[in-house]
Amino acid sequence: MTQGQSDTDQPLVDAVSDVLSVDAMGGDQGPATVVAGLSKFLGKAPSARAILHGPEAELKMLLAKHNLADRVTIRDAADVVKMTDKPSHVLRHGKKTSMWSAIEAVREGSAAVCISCGNTGGLMAMSMLRLRKAEGVNRPAIACLWPSRNPSGFNVMLDAGADIRADQDDLLTYALMGASYARNGLDITRPRVGLLNVGTEEHKGRAELKVAHELIGKAAEKGEFTYVGFIEGGDLPSDKIDVIVTDGFTGNVALKTGEGTASLISELLRAALMKTPLSMFAALLARGSLNRLRKRIDPRRVNGGVFLGLNQTVIKSHGSADATGVAAALHLAHRLAQSGFSDKLAARVASAASLAQDAGQENETNGLNTNTGE
Amino acid sequence: MTQGQSDTDQPLVDAVSDVLSVDAMGGDQGPATVVAGLSKFLGKAPSARAILHGPEAELKMLLAKHNLADRVTIRDAADVVKMTDKPSHVLRHGKKTSMWSAIEAVREGSAAVCISCGNTGGLMAMSMLRLRKAEGVNRPAIACLWPSRNPSGFNVMLDAGADIRADQDDLLTYALMGASYARNGLDITRPRVGLLNVGTEEHKGRAELKVAHELIGKAAEKGEFTYVGFIEGGDLPSDKIDVIVTDGFTGNVALKTGEGTASLISELLRAALMKTPLSMFAALLARGSLNRLRKRIDPRRVNGGVFLGLNQTVIKSHGSADATGVAAALHLAHRLAQSGFSDKLAARVASAASLAQDAGQENETNGLNTNTGE
């Protein structure tokens, strides 16, 4: 709390779990949209505060406009990571950027979670450099939420594209991290985990998938999740599972394919209803129902890819997010911050190796469960 | 024409291109559905005939019911490949199955294309064993049609799941085969080919994708297609491309993810419209428009995964296909049969190696173009 943005009468740990570090720059729609989203979020989260990173003069004006000066601290940062910057460039030349500053606030303990709309590759590279991978994690992953038939309305899928490769041990780590995220982000006590493959039969798929199938199955009991085995692409929106484990290449293609299919169907539905005067009248009558449907599958509601496997939590908001989308990412960040997610996850994955070995280390595991409170 | 099922007054080549070899067994809904689909198809294709494989007594009754005895020849086969049979089992014990018989009729030249609703792995294994891979093909692929914003309404995607791996040379072969299929199956003179990746920037993706990117780019001119470069999952239903090239693991996940997303949205739309009396009334008014939409995205309309890279063409119909779905697969088969697709494709891929080398073999290539008439 070195910046003096918190009420020092409050206990320190509570204060930090209410502070989000927000990169104002790097989104397609500029800082005005980020501040508008922040305003929406703060309006519904009375205890929350933010540290906002970007050019001070511009941000000051935007905050004044939304009357947020007392709940948001500005940290001046002159540079911006561009959408086209390669990760290697960002690491070499990024120290004066708003993204770097936003990560730094989390690293030094001034805020609990970092949120940025900027370049994904740059954000991941910078986060890995400054926050470091958690013990036991070889490849961090990006977890996204997938609209589903679940009671919560969502499944968790990881990796959505942090790394294009994943071996059997990475897939096991993804299972543990995804289960922990489902518990803390979606309130699912005993998440059901599935491994994405081209068929549900045990003989199908790549060699590393068959080994991961064994490893995840063995880790389920101590990891406090249920392993449902191999699942297929058609199961992604199903209520058979809460967590979908896959490598970042497949996950990224699946995510974008799902989004592309949903957008094609919405477009065709709109065109179908605008075709005749009768169908236009019908659309008017069904407006309430269609709006509910639109809201149900609105990608802005599920905005926020969570970087898992670092020592702190970073959330990537869609580059094209509007104020509603930014607010959704901030709500997710706040929820994870308040649950103490970063520490719980770190404890989970640190034990991944021992879980996989299934080596009867009962005492250690019991101790872990008590510590994490998961 | 050893079976005497063709009119021997016609030239042999014309006759065979009108004959389809149909496996009556192995679909989830049994032979009655296959024969109903065959009847629908034959009703709209007056020149076509079929050889139907399965238990003679049962098929005879079904054909009589649909009045098809004069246009369909039965080949008796007592056994059936089950959906749960592993490919290795099918190869060892499958000689008396209707699937084997259906492939055999194509192999011996009695029919132009083989169609089956049975077990995909078994059908591919048996087809590779009996029909053999075409010269220049290392891994055959399954091509499926993807609903898109294209004028034709569809893109071609391959591999949809014949093989879980594909190296750079396989991906080049897929590009050539996919372009040839788009020309003959969708009437697109100069297909636009895209390579599926996690981003459109050249530095992204796995090593073999970067090499394939080079190879396909160099082969485009002589292969008479346009290479648009890397595409993402969101581009699958776009009108930027006609042919999507990817490995069978990614393709299978993408296909099933797209189908799963479409089915989730349809279900939610139905639920939204059935929610209130007003929305139910609206749905009634918009019935015509909604039916057109349903038809546009109906998976039965795009039924038929085409096995590419064998010496003959085999089409896999969905196991759960109803009569409409079976008829769609038969129409596709007939169209490919009449275009002389198998021979054209074989000529294309035989030249893949020389195309990739880009070695200025102008004479050879010119000769090829004349021969294939593509």
Side-chain angles (χ1 to χ4, degrees):
Chain A
M1 296 293 108
T2 52
Q3 305 297 312
Q5 77 282 11
S6 79
D7 181 345
T8 45
D9 290 334
Q10 286 192 292
L12 188 65
V13 60
D14 280 350
V16 172
S17 75
D18 258 337
V19 182
L20 303 180
S21 177
V22 182
D23 177 8
M25 313 304 289
D28 302 347
Q29 313 207 28
T33 300
V34 174
V35 173
L38 184 57
S39 173
K40 272 193 170 213
F41 158 70
L42 289 172
K44 293 204 175 166
S47 69
R49 279 154 302 132
I51 308 174
L52 191 64
H53 307 262
E56 189 164 15
E58 192 177 356
L59 298 187
K60 217 169 203 166
M61 275 173 35
L62 289 168
L63 288 180
K65 195 179 136 199
H66 287 276
N67 227 341
L68 295 175
D70 58 330
R71 296 179 66 192
V72 180
T73 311
I74 295 170
R75 287 205 191 167
D76 186 43
D79 287 2
V80 176
V81 174
K82 288 197 276 302
M83 278 296 173
T84 49
D85 286 346
K86 285 194 191 185
S88 54
H89 175 92
V90 170
L91 290 185
R92 273 198 308 274
H93 306 287
K95 283 195 186 158
K96 290 186 178 160
T97 60
S98 58
M99 189 185 275
W100 186 285
S101 177
I103 293 169
E104 217 51 30
V106 167
R107 195 178 82 93
E108 74 190 22
S110 305
V113 173
C114 166
I115 302 95
S116 174
C117 298
N119 176 333
T120 309
L123 183 62
M124 180 52 96
M126 221 181 243
S127 299
M128 281 177 68
L129 179 72
R130 301 301 292 161
L131 305 178
R132 300 271 164 201
K133 292 187 279 188
E135 195 194 329
V137 174
N138 176 35
R139 297 178 209 263
I142 300 175
C144 66
L145 294 176
W146 193 281
S148 84
R149 296 181 179 88
N150 265 2
S152 71
F154 301 105
N155 291 325
V156 175
M157 183 180 77
L158 73 169
D159 174 21
D163 197 310
I164 53 169
R165 291 198 187 276
D167 67 16
Q168 51 255 37
D169 298 320
D170 299 323
L171 293 170
L172 169 62
T173 307
Y174 294 175
L176 292 163
M177 298 197 302
S180 183
Y181 175 39
R183 261 192 294 270
N184 292 283
L186 297 176
D187 257 340
I188 299 167
T189 316
R190 194 176 179 88
R192 296 160 301 166
V193 175
L195 183 58
L196 189 58
N197 198 350
V198 293
T200 54
E201 301 90 342
E202 300 218 344
H203 65 275
K204 287 206 170 173
R206 297 172 179 151
E208 72 269 24
L209 283 179
K210 291 175 203 168
V211 182
H213 181 67
E214 294 286 318
L215 292 176
I216 298 173
K218 283 184 187 159
E221 198 188 327
K222 291 186 185 165
E224 293 171 72
F225 61 85
T226 301
Y227 180 54
V228 301
F230 288 136
I231 57 163
E232 299 182 79
D235 297 324
L236 295 187
S238 82
D239 60 0
K240 283 163 61 175
I241 34 133
D242 305 300
V243 176
I244 300 136
V245 171
T246 187
D247 67 275
F249 187 91
T250 310
N252 186 276
V253 169
L255 176 66
K256 291 176 181 167
T257 300
E259 288 175 349
T261 306
S263 117
L264 174 69
I265 295 177
S266 304
E267 194 183 301
L268 294 174
L269 175 62
R270 207 172 305 123
L273 290 176
M274 292 298 117
K275 191 133 186 170
T276 68
L278 190 64
S279 68
M280 286 172 75
F281 178 58
L284 198 67
L285 291 184
R287 201 174 38 183
S289 303
L290 292 175
N291 279 343
R292 269 192 300 278
L293 171 64
R294 190 171 304 131
K295 207 174 162 188
R296 175 84 165 73
I297 58 171
D298 185 351
R300 296 178 306 172
R301 273 183 69 225
V302 297
N303 185 29
V306 181
F307 291 4
L308 300 176
L310 304 167
N311 284 309
Q312 308 281 346
T313 303
V314 174
I315 295 188
K316 165 68 172 77
S317 162
H318 249 299
S320 60
D322 59 9
T324 305
V326 170
L330 292 169
H331 278 293
L332 176 61
H334 191 225
R335 174 167 196 165
L336 292 176
Q338 294 207 307
S339 76
F341 176 59
S342 299
D343 292 343
K344 288 179 182 174
L345 183 74
R348 279 284 164 196
V349 292
S351 68
S354 60
L355 282 168
Q357 285 165 5
D358 194 26
Q361 295 150 319
E362 286 296 325
N363 294 335
E364 221 183 298
T365 310
N366 287 342
L368 168 75
N369 288 343
T370 312
N371 289 338
T372 60
E374 281 196 314
Chain B
M1 297 293 107
T2 54
Q3 305 297 312
Q5 78 282 11
S6 79
D7 181 345
T8 45
D9 289 334
Q10 285 191 291
L12 189 65
V13 60
D14 279 351
V16 172
S17 75
D18 257 338
V19 182
L20 303 180
S21 177
V22 182
D23 176 7
M25 312 305 287
D28 302 347
Q29 313 208 28
T33 300
V34 174
V35 174
L38 183 57
S39 173
K40 271 194 171 212
F41 158 71
L42 289 172
K44 293 204 176 167
S47 69
R49 279 154 302 131
I51 308 174
L52 191 64
H53 308 261
E56 188 164 17
E58 192 177 355
L59 297 186
K60 217 168 202 168
M61 274 173 34
L62 289 168
L63 288 180
K65 194 180 137 198
H66 288 276
N67 227 339
L68 295 175
D70 58 328
R71 295 180 65 192
V72 180
T73 311
I74 295 172
R75 288 204 191 168
D76 186 43
D79 287 2
V80 176
V81 174
K82 288 197 276 302
M83 279 295 173
T84 49
D85 287 346
K86 286 194 190 183
S88 53
H89 175 93
V90 170
L91 290 186
R92 273 197 308 274
H93 307 286
K95 284 195 184 158
K96 290 185 180 163
T97 61
S98 57
M99 190 185 275
W100 186 286
S101 178
I103 292 170
E104 217 49 30
V106 167
R107 196 179 81 93
E108 74 190 22
S110 305
V113 173
C114 167
I115 303 96
S116 174
C117 299
N119 176 331
T120 309
L123 184 61
M124 179 54 95
M126 223 180 242
S127 300
M128 280 176 69
L129 178 73
R130 300 302 292 162
L131 304 179
R132 300 274 165 199
K133 292 187 279 188
E135 195 194 329
V137 174
N138 176 36
R139 296 178 208 264
I142 301 175
C144 66
L145 295 176
W146 193 280
S148 83
R149 296 181 179 86
N150 265 2
S152 71
F154 300 105
N155 291 325
V156 174
M157 183 179 78
L158 73 168
D159 174 22
D163 197 310
I164 53 169
R165 294 200 184 275
D167 67 15
Q168 51 257 34
D169 298 321
D170 299 323
L171 293 169
L172 169 63
T173 307
Y174 294 175
L176 293 163
M177 297 197 302
S180 183
Y181 176 38
R183 260 191 295 270
N184 293 283
L186 297 176
D187 256 341
I188 299 167
T189 316
R190 195 177 178 89
R192 296 159 301 165
V193 175
L195 183 58
L196 189 57
N197 197 350
V198 293
T200 53
E201 302 90 341
E202 300 220 343
H203 64 277
K204 287 206 170 174
R206 297 172 179 151
E208 72 268 24
L209 284 178
K210 292 175 202 167
V211 182
H213 180 67
E214 293 287 316
L215 292 177
I216 297 173
K218 283 183 187 160
E221 198 188 325
K222 291 185 186 167
E224 293 171 71
F225 61 84
T226 301
Y227 179 54
V228 302
F230 288 136
I231 57 163
E232 300 183 79
D235 297 324
L236 295 188
S238 81
D239 61 0
K240 285 164 60 177
I241 33 134
D242 304 301
V243 176
I244 299 136
V245 171
T246 188
D247 67 274
F249 187 91
T250 310
N252 186 276
V253 169
L255 175 66
K256 290 175 180 167
T257 299
E259 288 175 348
T261 306
S263 117
L264 174 69
I265 295 177
S266 304
E267 193 183 300
L268 294 174
L269 175 63
R270 208 172 305 122
L273 290 176
M274 290 299 116
K275 190 133 188 170
T276 68
L278 190 64
S279 68
M280 284 172 76
F281 177 59
L284 197 68
L285 290 184
R287 202 173 37 182
S289 302
L290 292 175
N291 280 342
R292 270 193 300 278
L293 171 64
R294 191 170 304 131
K295 206 172 161 189
R296 175 84 165 75
I297 59 172
D298 186 350
R300 298 176 306 173
R301 274 184 68 226
V302 296
N303 186 30
V306 181
F307 292 4
L308 300 176
L310 304 167
N311 283 309
Q312 308 281 344
T313 303
V314 175
I315 295 189
K316 165 66 172 79
S317 162
H318 249 298
S320 61
D322 59 9
T324 306
V326 171
L330 292 169
H331 278 293
L332 176 61
H334 191 226
R335 174 168 195 165
L336 292 176
Q338 293 207 307
S339 76
F341 176 59
S342 300
D343 292 341
K344 288 181 181 172
L345 184 73
R348 279 284 164 195
V349 293
S351 68
S354 60
L355 283 168
Q357 287 164 4
D358 193 25
Q361 296 149 316
E362 285 297 323
N363 293 337
E364 222 181 297
T365 311
N366 287 342
L368 169 73
N369 289 343
T370 312
N371 289 338
T372 61
E374 283 196 313

